[in-house]
């Protein structure tokens, strides 16, 4: 009888081309960080060693995608790459109508303008920065109806991205269903730590929206990760493919937007797709004002080719298993040093719990912003704040929003870094953790009006 041997996971690809990384001395990093106003978004990428700022547009394309770039049809109108992409939108997301955009927030901008009338409400499973700003600029108030477990970094609920049905019903009752512009679900939920929703919950939300004649929209930016978690955690889905689960998820929504810079493993691109002909016609008309003709939406033909090919790769089980396997590996290594993190581990990132990491710092001195700075200073590893700075100010009172979750995100670009890079990252975080008591907070010295986390500047206390 053959003896079963336990095997580690490994990437289902090998490296064909490399990009050198620059290592720096601490004294250089101190200077760079000061110049960047202690905001990791303002660092020059040349001064970064391992870049875990985001998985957005930072992915390594495959040889199949790179080969596709040479097939770009750069005609102004009706390029063949657009029609190939449209076919794949139908095939993988099951939506008949589609408008390309240059990235996700362009689709968010258009959908907000189309569906929202000033004074209305949008309900969703936690806010996302760019999504909420477009909803607010269109005149809506965003209401978070995610389950309470999502706001607790240590709660082990397998589907922390679920909507609390009672909260949604209460909102409908309080403001009246006519005042709800639309309900939306993101999956997995970025700001909650990359946490998925279940199909069971989605079916309930969809039924409630249908009953009340309210549209349900999907932020499908990392939908294949949500599909993977459903396959792993939800009864009845174990044997289904990622493509089948993705198609089923999409079937409950009226439409969706995608930042193609994530799941589709490209460096630029976005999608607005729907089964609603009226919304499609509005979007197709609007895209020519803000993006470009409806057959290119601010993209080159070659970009659309890479997106269409990336879509075929994004549903590959081995790819997604390796991606989430890498995130999990990082989490398990950090566990060895008792580093406080959001549980369960997310799909695209490990989220450090900055409140627990630096318990001596009040939220007003920006613990997560501070922690991201300290990690960069220690090793040149770049991460991102996802706490009070990202949460911005309350649109009515002008005061800081104080989110329960004060997090630092270590985000993994797809197919870019190796296990050894993760080991270095973990060693650096463990080092910062050892000296955590000496860490002091920051003060904000410049605050832009919108999406302040991108450009705010800080000084050390
Ligand atoms: N997400 C991220 O790093 C990039 C910009 S915000 C720091 O996580 C969701 C769920 C996203 C997202 C971008 C967008 C906007 C929409 N929904 O960046 O405009 O995670 O393509 O997409 C970022 P674009």
């Amino acid at each position: 009888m053959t003896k079963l041997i336990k095997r580690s996971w490994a990437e289902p690809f090998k490296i064909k081309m490399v990009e050198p990384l620059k290592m720096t001395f601490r004294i250089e990093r101190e200077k760079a960080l000061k110049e960047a106003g202690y905001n990791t978004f303002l660092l020059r990428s040349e001064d970064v060693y391992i870049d875990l700022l985001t998985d957005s547009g930072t992915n390594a394309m495959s040889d199949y995608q790179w080969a596709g770039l040479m097939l770009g049809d750069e005609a102004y109108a009706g390029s063949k790459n657009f029609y190939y992409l449209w076919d794949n939108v139908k095939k993988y997301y099951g939506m008949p109508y589609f408008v390309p955009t240059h990235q996700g927030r362009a689709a968010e901008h258009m959908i907000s303008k189309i569906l929202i009338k000033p004074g209305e409400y949008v309900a969703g499973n936690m806010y996302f920065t760019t999504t909420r700003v477009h909803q607010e600029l269109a005149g809506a108030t965003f209401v978070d109806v995610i389950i309470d477990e999502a706001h607790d970094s240590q709660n082990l609920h397998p589907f922390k991205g679920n909507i609390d049905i009672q909260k949604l019903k209460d909102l409908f009752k309080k403001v009246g269903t006519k005042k709800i512009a639309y309900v939306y679900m993101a999956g997995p939920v970025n700001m909650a730590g990359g946490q998925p929703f279940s199909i069971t919950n989605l079916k309930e939300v969809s039924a409630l929206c249908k009953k009340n004649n309210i549209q349900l929209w999907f932020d499908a930016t990392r939908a294949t990760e949500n599909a993977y978690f459903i396959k792993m955690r939800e009864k009845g889905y174990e044997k289904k493919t990622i493509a089948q689960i993705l198609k089923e998820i999409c079937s409950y929504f009226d439409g969706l937007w995608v930042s193609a810079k994530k799941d589709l493993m490209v460096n630029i691109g976005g999608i607005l797709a729907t089964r609603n002909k009226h919304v499609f016609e509005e979007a197709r008309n609007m895209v020519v004002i803000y993006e470009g003709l409806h057959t290119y939406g601010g993209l080159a033909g070659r970009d659309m080719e890479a997106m269409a090919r990336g879509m075929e790769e994004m549903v590959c089980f081995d790819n997604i298993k390796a991606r989430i396997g890498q995130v999990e590996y990082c989490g398990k290594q950090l566990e060895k040093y008792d580093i406080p993190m959001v549980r369960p581990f997310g799909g695209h990132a490990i989220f450090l719990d900055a409140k627990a990491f630096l318990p001596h710092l009040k939220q007003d001195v920006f613990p997560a912003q501070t922690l991201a700075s300290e990690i960069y200073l220690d090793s040149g590893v770049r991460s991102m704040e996802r706490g009070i700075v990202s949460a911005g100010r309350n649109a009515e009172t002008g005061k800081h929003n104080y989110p329960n979750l004060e997090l630092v995100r270590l985000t993994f670009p797809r197919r870019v870094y190796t296990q050894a890079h993760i080991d270095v990252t973990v060693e650096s975080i463990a080092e910062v953790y050892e000296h955590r008591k000496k860490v002091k907070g920051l003060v904000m010295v410049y605050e832009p009006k919108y999406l302040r986390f991108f450009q705010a500047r800080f000084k050390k206390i």
Side-chain angles (χ1 to χ4, degrees), residues 41 53-56 103-106 108 128-131 186 188 190 219 221-222 257-262 269 348 384 386 409 411 453-454:
F41 275 101
L53 182 74
T54 178
D55 62 335
S56 182
Q103 61 182 86
R105 71 197 71 178
E108 292 174 331
F128 185 68
T129 51
T130 58
T131 318
N190 197 345
D219 181 340
T221 293
R222 297 181 183 85
W257 64 85
V258 180
S259 165
K261 300 168 77 174
K262 283 80 164 175
H348 63 307
M384 184 195 290
R386 297 277 77 169
R409 192 180 75 175
T411 336
F453 61 94
F454 282 129

Side-chain angles (χ1 to χ4, degrees), residues 26 29 33 40 52 352 357 368-384 408-410 425 428-430 432-433:
R26 189 175 171 108
R29 294 194 291 275
L33 192 64
T40 52
L52 305 183
L352 306 178
F357 200 114
Q369 190 78 31
T370 306
L371 181 53
S373 297
E374 290 296 323
I375 296 168
Y376 172 74
L377 273 182
D378 184 74
S379 57
V381 170
R382 170 155 71 170
S383 56
M384 184 195 290
V408 169
R409 192 180 75 175
L410 306 167
T425 302
S428 169
I429 291 165
V432 175
Y433 193 55

Side-chain angles (χ1 to χ4, degrees), residues 74-366:
E74 307 304 345
Y76 189 88
S79 101
K80 66 178 184 203
N81 315 112
F82 164 76
Y83 288 104
Y84 172 28
L85 180 56
W86 193 357
D87 283 346
N88 273 358
V89 168
K90 290 181 205 157
K91 185 170 169 189
Y92 294 105
Y93 295 103
M95 294 286 167
Y97 306 119
F98 150 68
V99 174
T101 62
H102 81 279
Q103 61 182 86
R105 71 197 71 178
E108 292 174 331
H109 170 218
M110 290 198 294
I111 210 60
S112 303
K113 269 189 129 66
I114 294 166
L115 294 180
I116 295 168
K117 285 194 219 68
E120 290 185 334
Y121 294 83
V122 175
N125 56 349
M126 203 176 265
Y127 85 101
F128 185 68
T129 51
T130 58
T131 318
R132 188 180 64 189
V133 81
H134 284 297
Q135 291 161 347
E136 287 178 353
L137 285 171
T141 302
F142 171 75
V143 183
D144 179 10
V145 289
I146 203 165
I147 56 171
D148 288 341
E149 288 87 338
H151 294 281
D152 173 0
S153 67
Q154 297 311 299
N155 192 295
L156 293 177
H157 194 297
F159 292 107
K160 281 162 94 172
N162 281 354
I163 279 186
D164 183 326
I165 302 292
Q166 195 52 50
K167 281 189 196 168
L168 193 57
K169 282 184 180 164
D170 290 348
L171 177 71
F172 288 180
K173 207 167 156 195
K174 188 171 155 209
V175 303
T177 50
K178 295 236 158 11
K179 280 274 184 191
I180 307 285
Y182 62 95
V183 174
Y184 94 94
M185 288 179 87
V189 181
N190 197 345
M191 303 304 282
Q195 306 294 325
F197 59 71
S198 68
I199 296 234
T200 310
N201 182 254
L202 170 58
K203 279 185 186 166
E204 280 184 78
V205 175
S206 162
L208 187 63
C209 287
K210 274 211 173 75
K211 194 173 142 206
N212 290 286
N213 212 13
I214 293 169
Q215 290 198 32
L216 180 61
W217 278 72
F218 183 26
D219 181 340
T221 293
R222 297 181 183 85
T224 58
E225 290 166 16
N226 205 101
Y228 177 85
F229 284 126
I230 286 171
K231 184 174 169 68
M232 293 298 140
R233 298 178 187 170
E234 193 160 0
K235 216 165 160 250
Y237 288 89
E238 305 84 348
K239 296 215 164 80
K240 300 214 171 181
T241 64
I242 298 295
Q244 284 168 335
I245 300 172
L246 176 63
K247 198 90 173 265
E248 180 176 342
I249 293 174
C250 295
S251 73
Y252 299 105
F253 289 97
D254 293 283
L256 53 88
W257 64 85
V258 180
S259 165
K261 300 168 77 174
K262 283 80 164 175
D263 262 5
L264 278 65
M265 292 173 283
V266 289
N267 306 119
I268 197 74
I271 288 170
L272 194 166
T274 179
R275 58 183 88 257
N276 182 314
K277 194 147 191 253
H278 168 71
V279 174
F280 166 62
E281 276 167 5
E282 292 275 311
R284 191 172 52 167
N285 192 208
M286 197 177 277
V287 79
V288 299
I289 307 172
Y290 295 112
E291 297 283 287
L293 193 70
H294 59 278
T295 58
Y296 74 84
L299 295 165
R302 57 179 173 268
D303 297 327
M304 292 189 282
E305 184 71 20
M307 280 167 72
R309 291 178 179 221
M311 221 179 262
E312 288 160 14
E313 292 177 359
M314 78 179 180
V315 293
C316 164
F317 178 76
D318 288 343
N319 262 339
I320 190 105
K321 182 178 164 211
R323 160 156 188 68
I324 293 180
Q326 190 175 52
V327 175
E328 218 173 57
Y329 173 79
C330 180
K332 286 198 173 139
Q333 296 306 306
L334 287 168
E335 242 167 18
K336 293 182 183 163
Y337 298 94
D338 292 327
I339 306 292
M341 290 171 277
V342 173
R343 309 299 169 101
F345 302 139
H348 63 307
I350 286 293
F351 290 73
L352 306 178
D353 184 341
K355 274 188 190 168
F357 200 114
L358 301 170
H360 56 290
L361 297 190
K362 287 203 178 121
Q363 208 165 5
D364 296 275
V365 298
F366 313 110

